[in-house]
Amino acid sequence: MIKRFFVVLMRSIRPPADRLRTVAVALAVFAIMNLSWAQGEAEQELERRVKAAFLYRFTEFVTWPEEHLPDPGQPFVIAVIGPDNIADELRQVVAGRAIHGRPVEVRRLSDEGGLATEHIVFISDSARRRLPQIIRAAPREALIVTESDGALAHGSIINFVLVDGRVRFEIALDSVERRGLRLSSRLLAVAQAVRTGPP
Amino acid sequence: MFEQIQKSVRAKLLVLMLSTTLVALIVALFVLAIYDVRNYSEKWVGDLSTQAEILGRSSAAAIAFDDPQTAHENLNLLRVRPMILAAALYAPTGSLFATYTRAGDAADVFPESPLADGITINGNQIVLFKKIVESDVLQGTVYIRAQYELLDRLLDYLGILAMVMVLSMLAALLIWAWLQKTITKPLKDITDVARQVMESRDFSLRVNKTTDDEIGYLVDAFNNMLAEIGRGADALLATDRMKDQFLATLAHELRNPLAPISNALYLLNQAGDQPEVAANARRIMARQLKQLVRLVDDLLDVSRITTGKLVLKKEQIELGRVIDNAIEIARPLIESRAHRLTVDIPERAIYLNGDETRLAQVFSNLLNNAAKYTEPNGAITIAVEAAGEDVLVSVTDNGMGMPSEILPEIFEMFTQAHISHDRTQAGLGLGLALALRLVEMHGGTIQAYSAGIGRGSRFTVRLPMLLLPASTAPEPMSGGQTACRAQTVSGGGQQTGFCLEPGGPSPR
């Protein structure tokens, strides 16, 4: 869409005597736009990385019922529903680390089809349309993390939001209780917003 | 200054109180200061560590989720602790995450990266680094810089010390003033009076007693001692006066016979062919000489008694004979003053263990006194009476008598009952004193009675009787227990003796 805009812009520039200059200006503008695009790409990359790190760190502030935690030796499973890159990022974060004394396994799923005994289910914005179904299909004690506007209303527990370009998150306490989880008050302290019930 | 303190109990008390208070205060505050400074140090370090721990834990999530604002809010809570000058949170990577500077202070310079855990005291500031570790994972590091007011506290203590010292010195002064009133004031009173007594030799001075404690007792004792010394001094003075008087009397008495002797000697020289004049002169000289000898004998006896050199030649003697001897000695004076002497002695012989001459001296002294202190033509009685194991010999006259208050004194040496009496009859005042000593040496007593001036007097000598077995006792002069022997010496120098039967007519 941006490229097309530039083509229209170039065509509309007259007279031909200034063509060379026009081309030069167009090239410059294009270069700048292209740079800005690349910059957006880098920002998204950073955002993915931060979200992956946060996903791992949430486990320090969330308590699962002991009976729901896997037997020692069995992996603690994080499901990522969405693109590969965030799952890859998360795998890098958890490499060599343990959660609540268990090895960590990251599973990427394309939809709710493969959900079974996950402890954290991250639903990417790309799966926004199937959000309610996926949340319903998730195991009862799973920590649901999303990154879509209004996801809390569908039963998500933690929802990432962007505030001034920074990754923050909001929390739905009612969903936390429903799923039998306990969140540290320190996590609530850094949350952007805390929802205690349906609006 | 030091000498003044040495010489004054008041100053010593003051120094004692002030120095005691001072030492106690300094020691107490020194110990308190050490304790408090240690306590302060430990408490403050512990307090800061706890603070850092709480801060770290509550900010761990903020660091983990990259929320500097929450971290900042957490740090800002430190504003309730104005002692904390600055604080900071470092991310696990070592980069500065959030900072806090006490309100009003200039922005602080924070270390670029956290140092190792621990506490550094730098002058009046304390710096603390503390790593936040949760489940073995480093969450970040807390940095706190706070005031460390050890010096200020010490200065505070010095201030308190100065204030407390001023107050307690005032209290000590008040107590000292009170003590001075109750202890040193009475002491000073005693000292003052003692000094006055030493300077003026006035033993009638007394210390005013104001307390009932040991010092009060001391005051009493001091006053009593003063009284004692005063009495002693008075007695010495009185004795001294008496001796002076005695000396005057002695000189007078010794001088008295010399004029008649000198006159008689002149007469003797002028007598020539007048034998009656010569005889009269010789008689006068003999009488005056006898008087002189008697005086000197008395003096010698007194001197012997006082030096303990008088020795009695004790043997078994008969009282009647002793009294006869005494009457013989006293007869000239009795006759010369025309007294009537009545002798009342039991017929039964009474034996004593004693020195005949000395006992005769005792009774003749009493008879002489009676004769001397009774107006001419008086009546004198000497009576003997058995009383249990003792015998009483009394000499009674109807003469001038004595006031009762001087009765206890008349046996003192150099005492005369009638100082102002006509000197022609005066003696040395040794007679009764001698009599008393002699009677005492015989294990007896002597007492004087008088109803008052002009009402006569009676002297009673009590001596232990010698109880002889019946066989060895000499036969009485005549039979009958009630028989008696009486003798009257009439003023005319006629001697009449007769024996009275019981119920018979009295010689009077």
Side-chain angles (χ1 to χ4, degrees):
Chain A
M1 192 189 91
I2 295 168
K3 285 177 185 171
R4 201 160 55 224
F5 167 76
F6 276 109
V7 171
V8 170
L9 185 78
M10 283 195 295
R11 279 188 190 153
S12 64
I13 289 171
R14 293 284 188 272
D18 294 335
R19 181 164 283 184
L20 197 66
R21 201 178 64 183
T22 306
V23 168
V25 169
L27 274 174
V29 169
F30 180 78
I32 290 168
M33 293 307 282
N34 214 7
L35 191 66
S36 107
W37 179 83
Q39 217 167 20
E41 192 61 26
E43 270 170 19
Q44 281 180 359
E45 168 75 19
L46 182 66
E47 188 186 321
R48 270 200 307 277
R49 200 177 290 164
V50 168
K51 283 179 179 171
F54 279 18
L55 264 176
Y56 166 70
R57 279 179 179 161
F58 285 146
T59 61
E60 291 170 23
F61 300 94
V62 177
T63 314
W64 279 266
E66 191 60 34
E67 67 271 15
H68 185 65
L69 280 176
D71 297 330
Q74 295 298 106
F76 183 99
V77 184
I78 301 175
V80 176
I81 300 176
D84 259 336
N85 45 13
I86 191 152
D88 291 343
E89 198 66 56
L90 190 55
R91 282 196 189 94
Q92 279 180 27
V93 169
V94 301
R97 284 180 169 157
I99 292 173
H100 294 295
R102 274 91 177 169
V104 188
E105 186 188 325
V106 177
R107 263 184 221 156
R108 200 193 71 78
L109 302 171
S110 54
D111 55 25
E112 71 272 20
L115 284 173
T117 57
E118 291 73 15
H119 300 94
I120 296 177
V121 176
F122 175 69
I123 305 163
S124 164
D125 194 42
S126 60
R128 184 174 51 214
R129 285 194 199 121
R130 298 197 54 79
L131 199 63
Q133 292 90 324
I134 296 171
I135 288 174
R136 264 198 303 279
R140 186 178 170 269
E141 283 88 2
L143 176 73
I144 313 293
V145 183
T146 53
E147 51 174 355
S148 313
D149 284 348
L152 292 186
H154 294 292
S156 168
I157 291 177
I158 298 176
N159 186 40
F160 286 121
V161 290
L162 275 179
V163 178
D164 299 335
R166 293 178 80 96
V167 177
R168 310 295 331 138
F169 51 87
E170 47 189 20
I171 295 173
L173 271 185
D174 50 342
S175 306
V176 173
E177 277 171 33
R178 216 166 26 244
R179 288 189 176 266
L181 300 178
R182 280 195 292 123
L183 258 62
S184 165
S185 62
R186 292 187 287 164
L187 186 63
L188 299 181
V190 292
Q192 179 67 28
V194 176
R195 198 183 93 128
T196 50
Chain B
M1 171 74 185
F2 186 70
E3 257 177 43
Q4 274 179 348
I5 289 170
Q6 280 289 319
K7 278 186 182 168
S8 162
V9 175
R10 284 171 59 190
K12 279 181 189 168
L13 260 181
L14 181 63
V15 168
L16 179 80
M17 290 209 52
L18 292 188
S19 54
T20 309
T21 316
L22 209 69
V23 168
L25 269 179
I26 289 175
V27 168
L29 272 164
F30 186 67
V31 171
L32 260 180
I34 289 180
Y35 170 78
D36 188 83
V37 162
R38 272 186 57 177
N39 204 26
Y40 169 78
S41 190
E42 278 173 18
K43 247 182 82 179
W44 192 219
V45 167
D47 198 21
L48 280 183
S49 300
T50 312
Q51 203 80 46
E53 185 79 30
I54 293 171
L55 195 63
R57 286 195 175 274
S58 63
S59 303
I63 298 173
F65 297 107
D66 190 26
D67 186 359
Q69 202 191 333
T70 304
H72 210 84
E73 281 164 14
N74 284 346
L75 283 176
N76 266 336
L77 289 176
L78 291 175
R79 68 179 177 273
V80 298
R81 302 293 302 267
M83 297 282 282
I84 296 176
L85 300 169
L89 289 167
Y90 291 87
T93 53
S95 61
L96 200 54
F97 185 73
T99 64
Y100 160 81
T101 308
R102 189 173 68 173
D105 289 0
D108 228 301
V109 180
F110 293 91
E112 291 252 330
S113 53
L115 305 176
D117 268 21
I119 286 155
T120 322
I121 292 165
N122 185 8
N124 59 351
Q125 291 199 347
I126 182 165
V127 173
L128 177 142
F129 279 102
K130 191 163 184 76
K131 285 188 165 65
I132 316 160
V133 177
E134 264 179 46
S135 37
D136 296 334
V137 179
L138 179 65
Q139 306 281 338
T141 306
V142 180
Y143 160 85
I144 290 181
R145 194 160 54 78
Q147 285 174 348
Y148 188 68
E149 295 172 326
L150 214 54
L151 200 67
D152 289 358
R153 274 184 106 77
L154 279 176
L155 284 175
D156 280 357
Y157 265 99
L158 278 180
I160 292 171
L161 178 73
M163 250 169 61
V164 169
M165 215 169 277
V166 166
L167 283 177
S168 43
M169 288 295 146
L170 279 176
L173 273 176
L174 280 178
I175 295 172
W176 173 74
W178 177 78
L179 269 184
Q180 199 219 326
K181 216 161 66 189
T182 56
I183 294 178
T184 51
K185 170 77 166 42
L187 268 182
K188 193 173 174 297
D189 288 351
I190 297 178
T191 317
D192 287 348
V193 171
R195 190 178 296 124
Q196 257 177 286
V197 167
M198 270 161 59
E199 281 166 3
S200 66
R201 299 272 149 204
D202 180 359
F203 297 110
S204 65
L205 290 170
R206 293 292 180 269
V207 183
N208 195 17
K209 187 179 171 186
T210 50
T211 55
D212 267 332
D213 51 10
E214 290 89 337
I215 293 176
Y217 192 79
L218 187 64
V219 167
D220 281 345
F222 185 71
N223 282 343
N224 282 344
M225 276 159 66
L226 274 182
E228 199 67 40
I229 293 169
R231 271 197 295 278
D234 286 351
L236 273 178
L237 274 177
T239 313
D240 205 34
R241 262 199 307 274
M242 239 147 44
K243 279 208 165 143
D244 287 347
Q245 207 172 6
F246 171 72
L247 210 59
T249 313
L250 179 62
H252 197 77
E253 290 290 316
L254 285 176
R255 179 71 180 77
N256 262 351
L258 294 183
I261 289 173
S262 160
N263 289 341
L265 205 58
Y266 175 77
L267 279 177
L268 203 59
N269 286 339
Q270 300 295 312
D273 52 348
Q274 294 172 280
E276 67 276 14
V277 172
N280 194 27
R282 271 196 293 276
R283 206 170 56 249
I284 291 170
M285 284 172 77
R287 196 168 69 230
Q288 296 302 336
L289 204 63
K290 211 169 131 194
Q291 172 79 357
L292 269 179
V293 168
R294 196 173 59 79
L295 268 175
V296 175
D297 279 351
D298 276 3
L299 271 178
L300 280 174
D301 285 349
V302 166
S303 145
R304 281 194 200 109
I305 287 176
T306 46
T307 53
K309 279 179 186 158
L310 186 90
V311 181
L312 295 179
K313 280 177 278 176
K314 279 191 177 178
E315 56 193 344
Q316 181 182 320
I317 52 169
E318 204 259 310
L319 186 59
R321 257 180 59 195
V322 176
I323 289 175
D324 283 347
N325 286 345
I327 291 170
E328 271 321 298
I329 297 166
R331 185 189 305 280
L333 187 63
I334 295 173
E335 282 179 2
S336 69
R337 292 180 70 82
H339 294 312
R340 195 156 54 87
L341 174 70
T342 306
V343 182
D344 183 3
I345 302 177
E347 200 60 33
R348 184 173 60 93
I350 293 172
Y351 292 92
L352 303 171
N353 181 27
D355 187 322
E356 192 173 322
T357 324
R358 292 303 179 188
L359 281 178
Q361 194 182 354
V362 169
F363 299 130
S364 66
N365 267 345
L366 293 178
L367 285 170
N368 270 331
N369 271 352
K372 203 189 290 179
Y373 298 116
T374 302
E375 294 299 312
N377 296 312
I380 299 168
T381 306
I382 180 162
V384 176
E385 180 187 355
E389 295 182 356
D390 294 339
V391 60
L392 300 178
V393 180
S394 54
V395 175
T396 315
D397 64 53
N398 61 349
M400 56 184 62
M402 293 162 282
S404 55
E405 60 266 25
I406 71 153
L407 282 178
E409 295 171 18
I410 56 171
F411 294 105
E412 298 279 326
M413 213 155 306
F414 316 127
T415 303
Q416 277 174 312
H418 307 281
I419 286 161
S420 60
H421 185 65
D422 175 16
R423 295 306 311 178
T424 55
Q425 296 300 327
L428 286 172
L430 294 173
L432 283 178
L434 249 171
L436 173 69
R437 300 298 191 285
L438 288 173
V439 168
E440 280 175 350
M441 287 172 83
H442 281 89
T445 58
I446 184 165
Q447 277 180 306
Y449 309 94
S450 176
I453 292 169
R455 301 177 66 177
S457 47
R458 187 171 86 245
F459 290 84
T460 303
V461 177
R462 177 186 287 265
L463 288 166
M465 266 195 290
L466 193 63
L467 298 171
L468 297 171
S471 55
T472 57
E475 281 298 303
M477 281 178 173
S478 63
Q481 291 285 316
T482 54
C484 70
R485 193 174 58 155
Q487 219 179 6
T488 299
V489 180
S490 76
Q494 301 291 54
Q495 183 181 357
T496 325
F498 45 80
C499 183
L500 288 171
E501 290 305 319
S506 158
R508 297 187 187 179

